[in-house]
C-alpha cells in the first residue's frame, strides 16, 4: 500500500467503528493530515456532522450530548493538557481518543486521571503523523524550517523541537508501512546525522512496536540535507503540479486564488488532489504546453456538445468561454478549476518574462559555459521586466555553479544585483554559498566528478533536449540510482549502528531535512513506475518553492547575524 490509502484506512477505522452522529476534533497539524486524504463528503458519509479544532472546542461551553466526539491529535504535551481540560467538563456523550503517534505512559496516566466522569470509551494510536500529499510523497509542515541551517548552539530548544518532529514523522511512516529500516545519513550534515541517530534510538526504546517480520530485502531510511542540492528549489518549474506551487502556492493540496482578480468566486480556493481529481492525476507531471492542449481538448468537447461556434485559440479565450457558460461550470467544475489555474499561470509567466528567465536558469543548472552564462545573467539583470526575485535566483544559480571559476565576475553580479533590486538583502548570495557551496556538498550536483555523468552532460549539450525548460534532473534522481545499483558510498552516507544492507532494499524512504520539492516528487513517482522492484518514498520538513526556500535562507541569515556564531 502507498501512503494515501494507509492514512485513509486509519481514518476509516476511526470513524466506521463508532456508530451515530459524530464531531471530529483536530489540532492544527492533524487538520492537514486529514484534509489531504479525506473530503467533506467523505466525512458526511461517516456521519461526521461537525469538525472543530481543539482550540475552538476549548472555548465553547455549549453542551452537545447528542454527539459522540472523535479526537484525532498529535500526542504533544500541549494537546494532552487541552484534552485534560475538555474531559474535566465534558460536552459530548462519548469521547473516543486517537493519537497520530506513540503516546507516552505518563500522558496516558494524565488522561486516565482526568476522566472522572468516565466518558472516554477508547484511547488508540493510529500512526499517521504526516501529511500524505501524494501516494509516494509526504511532508511534516514544520514551521521553523530555517532551523536546519543553524548550529545547535544558536537555539538548542528550537533545534531539539525540529529534530523531535522529524523523528516522530519518520517513525510514524515506518510504523504505517510496518517496516524497521536500516538507517543511513549524509555525512556532511550534522542535523541529518542527529535525526538519523535519534530515529535509531527511538526504534531501540520502542522495540516492541517495531518488531515486524524481517523480509529478505530490508527497507532503508536515508536522511539527507536540502543544502546538498540548493539548485532544485531555486528553479522555475514547467510541469503542472510543480508550476502551480512555484507561481501560486499549494498548501496541503489546496490552492488559494483569492488574490487574483480574474478568478470566478466559486474557484477562489481549489483542491489539487491526485486521488480526488482524475484530470489532475493524468496531467500533474505534464509540461505546460501539453497541459494547455489537454485542457483545450476538454473545452472543445463541451463546445461541440453545446453547439457553440466560437474559435478558441488561447487560454484567455477558454477562460472567457467557461465564465460565459454557467451550465458548463456547473457540469464540469473540475475543468473550470484547471482553466482558472492555467489562465493565472499564463498571466504570471508573461508578466515576469519567465520563459526568457527560465531558459537561462536551465542552462546554469544543466550545461557549462561560464562566459556565456555571465553574459546571459548580466543581460537579464539589466532587463526591467525581470522581477527582483528572479534576478536574485539567477545570481544564486550562477554563484552555485561558478563560485570557484569566476570570483571577479561573481562580485560584479553581486554589485549589479544590489544596485537594481531594492528588495535584495545584502550578503544573501554569499550566505547561500556558505551554507551550500561546493565545499559543503556531498553529492555530485553538476555531474562533474563521475565519468559517466560527464559523458551524459556532453551528449546532452551536443544533441540538445526535447524541452529546454524541463531538462534539469534533481540530484535526488542520481541518489535513487545509486541506491538501486549499490553505488551509494559508505564514506559519504554512513550507516547508523552496526547494521548493513542485504542486497537491494524493497522500500526506501528518503527524508530531506529542509524540505522537498514537487520536481523531486515527480522524479520519485516516475522512477517507481519504471522500476517495479523497489518503492521510493519522499518526505521532508516542508514542501518548498523558491519563495519559501529564500524566506528560510533569509531568516537563517538574520539569526546568524544577530547571534554572531556563524
Amino acid at each position: 500500500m502507498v501512503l494515501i490509502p494507509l492514512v485513509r484506512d486509519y481514518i476509516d477505522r476511526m470513524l466506521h467503528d463508532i456508530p451515530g452522529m459524530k464531531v471530529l476534533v483536530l489540532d492544527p497539524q492533524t487538520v492537514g493530515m486529514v484534509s489531504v486524504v479525506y473530503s467533506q463528503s467523505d466525512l458526511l458519509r461517516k456521519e461526521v456532522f461537525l469538525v472543530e479544532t481543539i482550540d475552538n472546542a476549548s472555548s465553547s461551553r455549549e453542551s452537545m450530548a447528542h454527539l459522540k466526539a472523535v479526537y484525532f491529535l498529535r500526542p504533544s504535551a500541549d494537546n494532552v493538557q487541552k484534552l485534560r481540560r475538555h474531559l474535566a467538563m465534558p460536552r459530548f456523550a462519548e469521547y473516543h481518543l486517537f493519537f497520530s503517534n506513540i503516546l507516552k505512559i505518563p500522558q496516558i496516566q494524565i488522561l486516565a486521571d482526568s476522566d472522572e466522569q468516565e466518558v472516554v470509551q477508547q484511547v488508540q494510536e493510529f500512526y499517521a503523523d504526516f501529511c500524505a500529499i501524494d501516494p509516494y510523497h509526504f511532508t511534516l509542515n514544520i514551521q521553523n524550517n530555517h532551523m536546519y541551517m543553524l548550529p545547535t548552539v544558536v537555539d538548542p530548544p528550537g533545534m531539539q523541537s525540529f529534530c523531535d518532529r522529524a523523528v516522530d514523522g519518520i517513525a510514524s511512516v515506518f510504523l504505517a508501512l510496518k517496516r524497521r529500516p536500516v538507517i543511513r545519513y549524509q555525512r556532511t550534515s550534522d542535523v541529518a546525522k542527529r535525526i538519523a541517530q535519534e530515529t535509531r534510538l527511538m526504534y531501540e526504546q520502542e522495540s516492541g512496536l517495531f518488531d515486524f517480520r524481517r523480509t529478505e530485502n530490508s527497507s532503508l531510511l536515508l536522511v539527507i540535507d536540502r543544502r546538498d542540492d540548493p539548485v532544485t528549489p531555486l528553479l522555475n518549474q514547467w510541469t503542472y503540479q510543480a508550476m502551480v506551487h512555484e507561481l501560486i502556492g499549494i498548501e496541503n493540496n489546496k490552492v488559494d486564488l483569492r488574490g487574483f482578480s480574474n478568478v470566478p468566486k466559486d474557484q477562489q480556493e481549489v483542491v489539487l488532489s491526485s486521488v480526488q481529481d482524475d484530470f489532475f492525476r493524468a496531467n500533474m507531471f505534464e509540461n505546460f504546453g501539453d497541459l494547455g492542449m489537454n485542457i483545450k481538448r476538454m473545452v472543445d468537447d463541451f463546445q461541440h456538445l453545446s453547439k457553440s461556434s466560437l474559435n478558441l485559440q488561447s487560454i484567455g479565450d477558454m477562460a472567457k468561454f467557461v465564465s460565459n457558460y454557467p451550465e458548463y461550470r456547473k457540469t464540469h467544475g473540475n475543468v473550470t478549476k484547471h482553466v482558472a489555474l492555467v489562465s493565472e499561470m499564463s498571466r504570471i509567466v508573461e508578466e515576469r518574462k519567465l520563459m526568457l528567465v527560465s531558459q537561462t536558469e536551465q542552462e546554469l543548472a544543466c550545461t557549462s559555459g561560464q562566459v556565456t552564462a555571465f553574459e546571459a545573467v548580466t543581460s537579464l539583470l539589466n532587463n526591467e521586466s525581470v522581477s527582483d526575485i528572479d534576478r536574485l535566483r539567477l545570481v544564486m544559480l550562477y554563484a552555485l555553479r561558478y563560485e570557484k571559476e569566476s570570483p571577479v565576475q561573481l562580485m560584479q553580479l553581486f554589485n549589479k544585483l544590489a544596485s537594481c533590486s531594492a528588495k535584495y538583502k545584502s550578503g544573501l548570495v554569499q550566505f547561500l554559498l556558505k551554507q551550500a557551496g561546493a565545499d559543503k556538498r556531498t553529492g555530485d550536483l553538476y555531474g562533474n566528478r563521475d565519468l559517466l555523468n560527464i559523458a551524459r552532460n556532453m551528449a546532452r549539450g551536443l544533441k540538445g533536449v526535447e524541452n529546454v525548460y524541463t531538462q534539469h534532473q534533481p540530484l535526488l534522481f542520481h541518489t535513487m540510482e545509486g541506491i538501486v545499483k549499490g553505488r551509494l558510498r559508505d564514506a559519504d552516507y554512513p550507516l547508523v549502528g552496526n547494521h548493513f544492507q542485504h542486497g537491494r532494499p524493497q522500500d526506501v524512504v528518503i527524508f530531506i531535512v529542509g524540505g522537498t520539492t514537487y520536481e523531486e516528487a515527480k522524479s520519485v513517482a516516475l522512477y517507481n513506475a519504471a522500476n517495479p522492484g523497489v518503492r521510493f518514498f519522499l518526505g521532508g520538513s516542508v514542501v518548498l518553492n523558491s519563495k519559501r526556500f529564500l524566506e528560510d535562507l533569509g531568516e537563517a541569515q538574520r539569526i546568524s547575524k544577530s547571534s554572531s556564531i556563524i
Side-chain angles (χ1 to χ4, degrees):
M1 291 181 78
V2 290
L3 297 175
I4 291 173
L6 283 172
V7 179
R8 277 190 65 89
D9 183 58
Y10 279 141
I11 299 169
D12 284 341
R13 287 159 54 192
M14 197 186 301
L15 300 175
H16 179 75
D17 295 340
I18 304 166
M21 296 171 63
K22 294 176 281 288
V23 55
L24 180 61
V25 182
L26 306 167
D27 64 37
Q29 287 74 42
T30 55
V31 165
M33 296 169 195
V34 172
S35 67
V36 293
V37 300
Y38 236 69
S39 68
Q40 291 281 1
S41 54
D42 290 331
L43 290 173
L44 283 172
R45 279 193 288 270
K46 297 291 184 182
E47 298 184 277
V48 174
F49 294 99
L50 180 64
V51 178
E52 286 191 345
T53 64
I54 191 167
D55 293 319
N56 289 342
S58 296
S59 62
S60 176
R61 298 183 182 277
E62 181 186 356
S63 175
M64 294 188 176
H66 60 293
L67 294 176
K68 298 172 183 177
V70 179
Y71 281 68
F72 180 50
L73 308 170
R74 294 203 67 246
S76 66
D78 187 42
N79 279 341
V80 169
Q81 288 305 316
K82 288 173 182 173
L83 191 48
R84 182 183 185 180
R85 292 193 288 273
H86 289 205
L87 295 175
M89 301 177 64
R91 298 167 53 211
F92 306 106
E94 297 176 3
Y95 285 69
H96 301 262
L97 310 181
F98 299 92
F99 292 89
S100 65
N101 216 317
I102 300 165
L103 198 62
K104 296 179 176 63
I105 290 175
Q107 293 175 314
I108 297 172
Q109 190 61 53
I110 289 170
L111 295 176
D113 292 344
S114 305
D115 186 25
E116 293 181 359
Q117 299 188 40
E118 298 183 351
V119 289
V120 176
Q121 304 299 304
Q122 59 179 316
V123 179
Q124 289 198 52
E125 296 168 349
F126 277 175
Y127 306 112
D129 205 10
F130 54 90
C131 273
I133 46 182
D134 284 317
Y136 299 100
H137 185 200
F138 69 92
T139 182
L140 303 182
N141 290 330
I142 298 178
Q143 293 301 311
N144 59 335
N145 190 53
H146 63 275
M147 285 302 308
Y148 79 99
M149 298 188 200
L150 301 171
T152 302
V153 291
V154 172
D155 182 3
M159 179 59 78
Q160 187 61 55
S161 170
F162 181 92
C163 291
D164 286 348
R165 181 67 190 97
V167 170
D168 286 347
I170 291 166
S172 172
V173 168
F174 279 103
L175 283 168
L177 292 170
K178 295 183 169 55
R179 297 283 188 272
R180 178 170 178 158
V182 170
I183 303 173
R184 301 177 73 170
Y185 63 90
Q186 181 185 316
R187 175 185 54 81
T188 53
S189 171
D190 290 339
V191 66
K193 179 179 180 180
R194 178 171 173 174
I195 288 169
Q197 290 178 332
E198 290 183 8
T199 303
R200 169 76 182 156
L201 186 63
M202 172 181 268
Y203 290 164
E204 291 173 350
Q205 291 172 344
E206 303 288 349
S207 56
L209 278 175
F210 289 92
D211 188 21
F212 303 119
R213 182 175 62 84
R214 297 281 175 176
T215 54
E216 188 177 336
N217 294 314
S218 58
S219 55
L220 171 68
L221 165 66
L222 175 64
V223 185
I224 59 178
D225 194 308
R226 176 75 270 162
R227 290 170 289 184
D228 213 34
D229 178 7
V231 167
T232 299
L234 284 172
L235 293 173
N236 263 301
Q237 298 299 315
W238 295 93
T239 56
Y240 192 20
Q241 183 185 41
M243 195 175 180
V244 173
H245 190 45
E246 176 60 27
L247 299 185
I248 301 173
I250 306 173
E251 184 174 352
N252 295 334
N253 289 351
K254 292 187 177 71
V255 183
D256 186 351
L257 293 168
R258 283 173 294 189
F260 299 94
S261 57
N262 297 323
V263 175
K265 286 188 178 180
D266 59 345
Q267 298 289 349
Q268 294 199 338
E269 185 179 81
V270 298
V271 175
L272 285 181
S273 167
S274 60
V275 174
Q276 300 171 19
D277 183 336
D278 292 341
F279 181 85
F280 180 63
R281 180 169 61 252
N283 289 275
M284 59 196 289
F285 303 141
E286 292 290 340
N287 68 57
F288 197 48
D290 291 339
L291 171 67
M293 292 304 295
N294 291 343
I295 289 178
K296 185 178 187 305
R297 259 193 295 274
M298 296 188 79
V299 176
D300 283 347
D301 288 344
F302 175 77
Q303 189 181 11
H304 175 71
L305 291 172
S306 66
K307 298 181 174 57
S308 171
S309 59
L310 291 173
N311 184 19
L312 305 180
Q313 293 298 325
S314 70
I315 293 292
D317 291 341
M318 284 188 276
K320 287 176 186 173
F321 171 77
V322 165
S323 64
N324 289 335
Y325 278 81
E327 68 271 26
Y328 180 87
R329 290 171 56 196
K330 184 177 178 182
T331 309
H332 297 277
N334 200 37
V335 182
T336 68
K337 166 178 73 179
H338 296 293
V339 170
L341 283 170
V342 172
S343 179
E344 283 306 315
M345 290 194 297
S346 297
R347 184 186 60 77
I348 294 168
V349 166
E350 175 57 33
E351 191 176 89
R352 287 171 51 184
K353 307 301 177 194
L354 290 183
M355 296 192 81
L356 188 65
V357 171
S358 184
Q359 187 166 346
T360 298
E361 288 177 4
Q362 290 284 325
E363 287 166 359
L364 286 167
C366 303
T367 60
S368 57
Q370 181 265 321
V371 174
T372 306
F374 177 76
E375 290 173 354
V377 173
T378 302
S379 173
L380 287 168
L381 290 181
N382 289 325
N383 188 331
E384 293 183 1
S385 298
V386 176
S387 70
D388 284 350
I389 190 171
D390 295 325
R391 287 171 172 152
L392 175 58
R393 289 187 303 99
L394 284 163
V395 174
M396 284 182 164
L397 289 166
Y398 180 93
L400 288 165
R401 185 77 196 237
Y402 299 112
E403 61 177 304
K404 302 289 189 183
E405 293 181 40
S406 58
V408 174
Q409 287 92 335
L410 195 53
M411 190 55 65
Q412 290 174 355
L413 291 179
F414 290 162
N415 294 335
K416 185 70 179 173
L417 180 65
S419 67
C420 65
S421 294
K423 295 178 182 177
Y424 168 59
K425 293 180 182 176
S426 176
L428 192 61
V429 184
Q430 293 92 322
F431 185 72
L432 173 65
L433 292 178
K434 199 168 186 177
Q435 288 284 326
D439 296 336
K440 300 285 187 179
R441 299 193 298 264
T442 300
D444 191 4
L445 183 58
Y446 294 108
N448 297 329
R449 304 177 203 166
D450 183 273
L451 282 174
L452 181 60
N453 283 337
I454 292 169
R456 282 175 181 157
N457 288 343
M458 286 175 65
R460 178 162 54 188
L462 290 169
K463 294 176 188 175
V465 291
E466 190 175 328
N467 186 336
V468 70
Y469 299 106
T470 56
Q471 61 181 306
H472 175 256
Q473 212 166 43
L475 180 64
L476 183 76
F477 175 83
H478 302 292
T479 304
M480 290 190 290
E481 283 204 318
I483 291 169
V484 169
K485 296 175 181 176
R487 293 179 183 163
L488 213 60
R489 295 178 55 204
D490 290 348
D492 290 334
Y493 301 97
L495 287 113
V496 177
N498 56 359
H499 293 272
F500 58 93
Q501 194 76 46
H502 297 279
R504 189 174 75 173
Q506 286 179 327
D507 290 308
V508 180
V509 173
I510 300 178
F511 187 85
I512 305 182
V513 182
T516 61
T517 67
Y518 282 116
E519 184 186 353
E520 289 161 330
K522 181 191 78 171
S523 288
V524 167
L526 296 181
Y527 199 95
N528 285 341
N531 299 274
V534 62
R535 289 192 308 181
F536 282 94
F537 299 88
L538 175 65
S541 42
V542 297
V543 184
L544 295 167
N545 53 16
S546 62
K547 180 183 177 185
R548 177 63 190 269
F549 181 70
L550 292 171
E551 284 173 354
D552 289 340
L553 190 71
E555 181 64 10
Q557 182 197 26
R558 184 191 66 77
I559 293 170
S560 68
K561 279 181 177 178
S562 61
S563 66
S564 302
I565 290 175
I566 299 178

